PDB file of all heavy atoms in Angstrom:
ATOM      1  N   GLN A  69       9.036  65.893 -36.028  1.00 88.00           N
ATOM      2  CA  GLN A  69      10.275  66.530 -35.756  1.00 88.00           C
ATOM      3  C   GLN A  69      10.889  67.165 -36.932  1.00 88.00           C
ATOM      4  O   GLN A  69      11.483  68.291 -36.823  1.00 88.00           O
ATOM      5  CB  GLN A  69      11.292  65.681 -35.108  1.00 88.00           C
ATOM      6  CG  GLN A  69      11.003  65.425 -33.541  1.00 88.00           C
ATOM      7  CD  GLN A  69      12.155  64.666 -32.910  1.00 88.00           C
ATOM      8  OE1 GLN A  69      13.204  64.914 -33.129  1.00 88.00           O
ATOM      9  NE2 GLN A  69      11.661  63.822 -31.931  1.00 88.00           N
ATOM     10  N   ASP A  72       9.014  70.454 -37.728  1.00 80.00           N
ATOM     11  CA  ASP A  72       9.174  71.600 -36.775  1.00 80.00           C
ATOM     12  C   ASP A  72      10.643  72.009 -36.872  1.00 80.00           C
ATOM     13  O   ASP A  72      11.382  71.613 -36.038  1.00 80.00           O
ATOM     14  CB  ASP A  72       8.753  71.071 -35.424  1.00 80.00           C
ATOM     15  CG  ASP A  72       8.677  72.221 -34.357  1.00 80.00           C
ATOM     16  OD1 ASP A  72       8.611  73.312 -34.820  1.00 80.00           O
ATOM     17  OD2 ASP A  72       8.483  71.874 -33.205  1.00 80.00           O
ATOM     18  N   LEU A  73      10.951  73.091 -37.702  1.00 75.00           N
ATOM     19  CA  LEU A  73      12.280  73.547 -37.889  1.00 75.00           C
ATOM     20  C   LEU A  73      12.675  74.565 -36.649  1.00 75.00           C
ATOM     21  O   LEU A  73      13.844  74.655 -36.348  1.00 75.00           O
ATOM     22  CB  LEU A  73      12.498  74.303 -38.965  1.00 75.00           C
ATOM     23  CG  LEU A  73      12.274  73.510 -40.392  1.00 75.00           C
ATOM     24  CD1 LEU A  73      12.249  74.390 -41.602  1.00 75.00           C
ATOM     25  CD2 LEU A  73      13.357  72.561 -40.431  1.00 75.00           C
ATOM     26  N   ASP A  74      11.661  75.195 -36.000  1.00 78.00           N
ATOM     27  CA  ASP A  74      11.978  76.096 -34.953  1.00 78.00           C
ATOM     28  C   ASP A  74      12.256  75.514 -33.706  1.00 78.00           C
ATOM     29  O   ASP A  74      12.609  76.269 -32.646  1.00 78.00           O
ATOM     30  CB  ASP A  74      10.900  77.169 -34.985  1.00 78.00           C
ATOM     31  CG  ASP A  74      10.740  78.000 -36.121  1.00 78.00           C
ATOM     32  OD1 ASP A  74      11.797  78.230 -36.863  1.00 78.00           O
ATOM     33  OD2 ASP A  74       9.637  78.406 -36.568  1.00 78.00           O
ATOM     34  N   SER A  75      11.829  74.253 -33.465  1.00 76.00           N
ATOM     35  CA  SER A  75      11.862  73.519 -32.154  1.00 76.00           C
ATOM     36  C   SER A  75      13.315  73.327 -31.749  1.00 76.00           C
ATOM     37  O   SER A  75      14.093  72.887 -32.643  1.00 76.00           O
ATOM     38  CB  SER A  75      11.044  72.365 -32.111  1.00 76.00           C
ATOM     39  OG  SER A  75      11.270  71.658 -30.960  1.00 76.00           O
ATOM     40  N   HIS A  76      13.638  73.576 -30.546  1.00 79.00           N
ATOM     41  CA  HIS A  76      14.990  73.145 -30.053  1.00 79.00           C
ATOM     42  C   HIS A  76      14.916  71.958 -29.096  1.00 79.00           C
ATOM     43  O   HIS A  76      15.589  71.934 -28.042  1.00 79.00           O
ATOM     44  CB  HIS A  76      15.662  74.425 -29.317  1.00 79.00           C
ATOM     45  CG  HIS A  76      15.897  75.533 -30.282  1.00 79.00           C
ATOM     46  ND1 HIS A  76      16.817  75.466 -31.336  1.00 79.00           N
ATOM     47  CD2 HIS A  76      15.332  76.769 -30.300  1.00 79.00           C
ATOM     48  CE1 HIS A  76      16.781  76.627 -32.032  1.00 79.00           C
ATOM     49  NE2 HIS A  76      15.921  77.379 -31.446  1.00 79.00           N
ATOM     50  N   ARG A  77      14.004  71.098 -29.423  1.00 82.00           N
ATOM     51  CA  ARG A  77      13.858  69.873 -28.666  1.00 82.00           C
ATOM     52  C   ARG A  77      13.969  68.747 -29.695  1.00 82.00           C
ATOM     53  O   ARG A  77      13.735  68.934 -30.877  1.00 82.00           O
ATOM     54  CB  ARG A  77      12.442  69.877 -27.993  1.00 82.00           C
ATOM     55  CG  ARG A  77      12.326  70.856 -26.963  1.00 82.00           C
ATOM     56  CD  ARG A  77      11.016  70.586 -26.245  1.00 82.00           C
ATOM     57  NE  ARG A  77       9.847  70.409 -27.177  1.00 82.00           N
ATOM     58  CZ  ARG A  77       8.954  71.334 -27.341  1.00 82.00           C
ATOM     59  NH1 ARG A  77       9.036  72.507 -26.770  1.00 82.00           N
ATOM     60  NH2 ARG A  77       7.897  71.092 -28.140  1.00 82.00           N
ATOM     61  N   GLY A  78      14.080  67.506 -29.164  1.00 85.00           N
ATOM     62  CA  GLY A  78      13.982  66.328 -29.922  1.00 85.00           C
ATOM     63  C   GLY A  78      15.333  65.805 -30.415  1.00 85.00           C
ATOM     64  O   GLY A  78      16.290  66.510 -30.379  1.00 85.00           O
ATOM     65  N   TYR A  79      15.277  64.598 -30.841  1.00 88.00           N
ATOM     66  CA  TYR A  79      16.590  63.915 -31.240  1.00 88.00           C
ATOM     67  C   TYR A  79      17.174  64.458 -32.494  1.00 88.00           C
ATOM     68  O   TYR A  79      18.376  64.391 -32.660  1.00 88.00           O
ATOM     69  CB  TYR A  79      16.481  62.375 -31.177  1.00 88.00           C
ATOM     70  CG  TYR A  79      15.439  61.779 -32.033  1.00 88.00           C
ATOM     71  CD1 TYR A  79      15.569  61.688 -33.403  1.00 88.00           C
ATOM     72  CD2 TYR A  79      14.146  61.538 -31.558  1.00 88.00           C
ATOM     73  CE1 TYR A  79      14.624  61.018 -34.191  1.00 88.00           C
ATOM     74  CE2 TYR A  79      13.090  61.084 -32.331  1.00 88.00           C
ATOM     75  CZ  TYR A  79      13.354  60.688 -33.682  1.00 88.00           C
ATOM     76  OH  TYR A  79      12.451  60.218 -34.370  1.00 88.00           O
ATOM     77  N   ILE A  80      16.423  65.011 -33.484  1.00 89.00           N
ATOM     78  CA  ILE A  80      16.964  65.434 -34.664  1.00 89.00           C
ATOM     79  C   ILE A  80      17.818  66.801 -34.384  1.00 89.00           C
ATOM     80  O   ILE A  80      18.967  66.931 -34.863  1.00 89.00           O
ATOM     81  CB  ILE A  80      15.949  65.777 -35.694  1.00 89.00           C
ATOM     82  CG1 ILE A  80      15.274  64.458 -36.170  1.00 89.00           C
ATOM     83  CG2 ILE A  80      16.521  66.549 -36.933  1.00 89.00           C
ATOM     84  CD1 ILE A  80      14.236  64.601 -37.235  1.00 89.00           C
ATOM     85  N   TYR A  81      17.192  67.683 -33.586  1.00 90.00           N
ATOM     86  CA  TYR A  81      17.918  68.831 -33.120  1.00 90.00           C
ATOM     87  C   TYR A  81      19.190  68.468 -32.351  1.00 90.00           C
ATOM     88  O   TYR A  81      20.219  69.064 -32.602  1.00 90.00           O
ATOM     89  CB  TYR A  81      17.064  69.769 -32.282  1.00 90.00           C
ATOM     90  CG  TYR A  81      17.782  70.931 -31.640  1.00 90.00           C
ATOM     91  CD1 TYR A  81      18.139  72.069 -32.499  1.00 90.00           C
ATOM     92  CD2 TYR A  81      18.177  70.942 -30.317  1.00 90.00           C
ATOM     93  CE1 TYR A  81      18.824  73.051 -31.931  1.00 90.00           C
ATOM     94  CE2 TYR A  81      18.832  72.065 -29.733  1.00 90.00           C
ATOM     95  CZ  TYR A  81      19.164  73.067 -30.547  1.00 90.00           C
ATOM     96  OH  TYR A  81      19.848  74.119 -30.073  1.00 90.00           O
ATOM     97  N   ASN A  82      19.155  67.447 -31.513  1.00 91.00           N
ATOM     98  CA  ASN A  82      20.282  67.058 -30.733  1.00 91.00           C
ATOM     99  C   ASN A  82      21.372  66.451 -31.668  1.00 91.00           C
ATOM    100  O   ASN A  82      22.531  66.776 -31.414  1.00 91.00           O
ATOM    101  CB  ASN A  82      19.908  66.000 -29.707  1.00 91.00           C
ATOM    102  CG  ASN A  82      19.141  66.617 -28.601  1.00 91.00           C
ATOM    103  OD1 ASN A  82      19.255  67.812 -28.288  1.00 91.00           O
ATOM    104  ND2 ASN A  82      18.319  65.820 -27.908  1.00 91.00           N
ATOM    105  N   TRP A  83      21.018  65.737 -32.736  1.00 92.00           N
ATOM    106  CA  TRP A  83      22.011  65.178 -33.659  1.00 92.00           C
ATOM    107  C   TRP A  83      22.607  66.234 -34.432  1.00 92.00           C
ATOM    108  O   TRP A  83      23.785  66.279 -34.597  1.00 92.00           O
ATOM    109  CB  TRP A  83      21.333  64.255 -34.657  1.00 92.00           C
ATOM    110  CG  TRP A  83      20.838  62.964 -34.102  1.00 92.00           C
ATOM    111  CD1 TRP A  83      21.139  62.435 -32.885  1.00 92.00           C
ATOM    112  CD2 TRP A  83      19.931  62.107 -34.828  1.00 92.00           C
ATOM    113  NE1 TRP A  83      20.506  61.193 -32.810  1.00 92.00           N
ATOM    114  CE2 TRP A  83      19.672  61.044 -33.917  1.00 92.00           C
ATOM    115  CE3 TRP A  83      19.205  62.105 -36.018  1.00 92.00           C
ATOM    116  CZ2 TRP A  83      18.888  59.988 -34.160  1.00 92.00           C
ATOM    117  CZ3 TRP A  83      18.281  61.094 -36.286  1.00 92.00           C
ATOM    118  CH2 TRP A  83      18.187  59.998 -35.428  1.00 92.00           C
ATOM    119  N   GLU A  84      21.850  67.258 -34.799  1.00 91.00           N
ATOM    120  CA  GLU A  84      22.433  68.414 -35.533  1.00 91.00           C
ATOM    121  C   GLU A  84      23.468  69.176 -34.553  1.00 91.00           C
ATOM    122  O   GLU A  84      24.465  69.678 -34.988  1.00 91.00           O
ATOM    123  CB  GLU A  84      21.356  69.446 -36.042  1.00 91.00           C
ATOM    124  CG  GLU A  84      20.488  68.806 -37.017  1.00 91.00           C
ATOM    125  CD  GLU A  84      19.259  69.662 -37.392  1.00 91.00           C
ATOM    126  OE1 GLU A  84      18.891  70.520 -36.627  1.00 91.00           O
ATOM    127  OE2 GLU A  84      18.579  69.267 -38.411  1.00 91.00           O
ATOM    128  N   ARG A  85      23.018  69.334 -33.406  1.00 93.00           N
ATOM    129  CA  ARG A  85      23.843  70.158 -32.419  1.00 93.00           C
ATOM    130  C   ARG A  85      25.196  69.243 -32.122  1.00 93.00           C
ATOM    131  O   ARG A  85      26.292  69.934 -32.160  1.00 93.00           O
ATOM    132  CB  ARG A  85      23.063  70.346 -31.090  1.00 93.00           C
ATOM    133  CG  ARG A  85      23.844  71.419 -30.132  1.00 93.00           C
ATOM    134  CD  ARG A  85      22.990  71.499 -28.938  1.00 93.00           C
ATOM    135  NE  ARG A  85      22.464  70.243 -28.604  1.00 93.00           N
ATOM    136  CZ  ARG A  85      22.233  69.825 -27.391  1.00 93.00           C
ATOM    137  NH1 ARG A  85      22.275  70.810 -26.331  1.00 93.00           N
ATOM    138  NH2 ARG A  85      21.671  68.695 -26.953  1.00 93.00           N
ATOM    139  N   LYS A  86      25.066  67.992 -32.006  1.00 94.00           N
ATOM    140  CA  LYS A  86      26.250  67.131 -31.896  1.00 94.00           C
ATOM    141  C   LYS A  86      27.111  67.195 -32.940  1.00 94.00           C
ATOM    142  O   LYS A  86      28.399  67.289 -32.784  1.00 94.00           O
ATOM    143  CB  LYS A  86      25.713  65.714 -31.600  1.00 94.00           C
ATOM    144  CG  LYS A  86      25.316  65.374 -30.222  1.00 94.00           C
ATOM    145  CD  LYS A  86      24.918  63.967 -30.006  1.00 94.00           C
ATOM    146  CE  LYS A  86      24.238  63.713 -28.647  1.00 94.00           C
ATOM    147  NZ  LYS A  86      23.867  62.396 -28.542  1.00 94.00           N
ATOM    148  N   VAL A  87      26.612  67.206 -34.273  1.00 94.00           N
ATOM    149  CA  VAL A  87      27.518  67.337 -35.445  1.00 94.00           C
ATOM    150  C   VAL A  87      28.242  68.609 -35.415  1.00 94.00           C
ATOM    151  O   VAL A  87      29.450  68.712 -35.693  1.00 94.00           O
ATOM    152  CB  VAL A  87      26.606  67.149 -36.717  1.00 94.00           C
ATOM    153  CG1 VAL A  87      27.419  67.608 -37.956  1.00 94.00           C
ATOM    154  CG2 VAL A  87      26.144  65.703 -36.877  1.00 94.00           C
ATOM    155  N   LYS A 121      26.895  71.091 -40.517  1.00 93.00           N
ATOM    156  CA  LYS A 121      25.647  70.849 -39.798  1.00 93.00           C
ATOM    157  C   LYS A 121      24.445  70.950 -40.779  1.00 93.00           C
ATOM    158  O   LYS A 121      23.422  70.246 -40.706  1.00 93.00           O
ATOM    159  CB  LYS A 121      25.562  71.737 -38.573  1.00 93.00           C
ATOM    160  CG  LYS A 121      24.204  71.592 -37.723  1.00 93.00           C
ATOM    161  CD  LYS A 121      23.770  72.752 -37.044  1.00 93.00           C
ATOM    162  CE  LYS A 121      23.268  73.902 -37.775  1.00 93.00           C
ATOM    163  NZ  LYS A 121      21.755  73.868 -38.067  1.00 93.00           N
ATOM    164  N   LEU A 128      18.776  64.899 -42.993  1.00 90.00           N
ATOM    165  CA  LEU A 128      17.829  64.324 -41.994  1.00 90.00           C
ATOM    166  C   LEU A 128      16.405  64.983 -42.324  1.00 90.00           C
ATOM    167  O   LEU A 128      15.452  64.204 -42.052  1.00 90.00           O
ATOM    168  CB  LEU A 128      18.289  64.705 -40.496  1.00 90.00           C
ATOM    169  CG  LEU A 128      19.541  64.049 -39.997  1.00 90.00           C
ATOM    170  CD1 LEU A 128      19.868  64.636 -38.808  1.00 90.00           C
ATOM    171  CD2 LEU A 128      19.269  62.601 -39.933  1.00 90.00           C
ATOM    172  N   ARG A 129      16.400  66.198 -42.690  1.00 90.00           N
ATOM    173  CA  ARG A 129      15.076  66.933 -42.710  1.00 90.00           C
ATOM    174  C   ARG A 129      14.444  66.890 -44.106  1.00 90.00           C
ATOM    175  O   ARG A 129      13.188  67.082 -44.260  1.00 90.00           O
ATOM    176  CB  ARG A 129      15.084  68.186 -42.244  1.00 90.00           C
ATOM    177  CG  ARG A 129      15.504  68.333 -40.805  1.00 90.00           C
ATOM    178  CD  ARG A 129      15.422  69.790 -40.234  1.00 90.00           C
ATOM    179  NE  ARG A 129      15.862  69.877 -38.875  1.00 90.00           N
ATOM    180  CZ  ARG A 129      15.166  69.778 -37.842  1.00 90.00           C
ATOM    181  NH1 ARG A 129      13.755  69.586 -38.005  1.00 90.00           N
ATOM    182  NH2 ARG A 129      15.493  69.922 -36.580  1.00 90.00           N
TER     183      ARG A 129
END
Side-chain angles (χ1 to χ4, degrees):
Q69 286 188 31
D72 191 11
L73 296 173
D74 297 329
S75 174
H76 296 294
R77 298 188 309 257
Y79 54 87
I80 293 178
Y81 173 74
N82 290 335
W83 290 343
E84 293 169 348
R85 193 177 43 149
K86 284 180 184 177
V87 166
K121 181 200 79 87
L128 291 173
R129 294 186 185 269

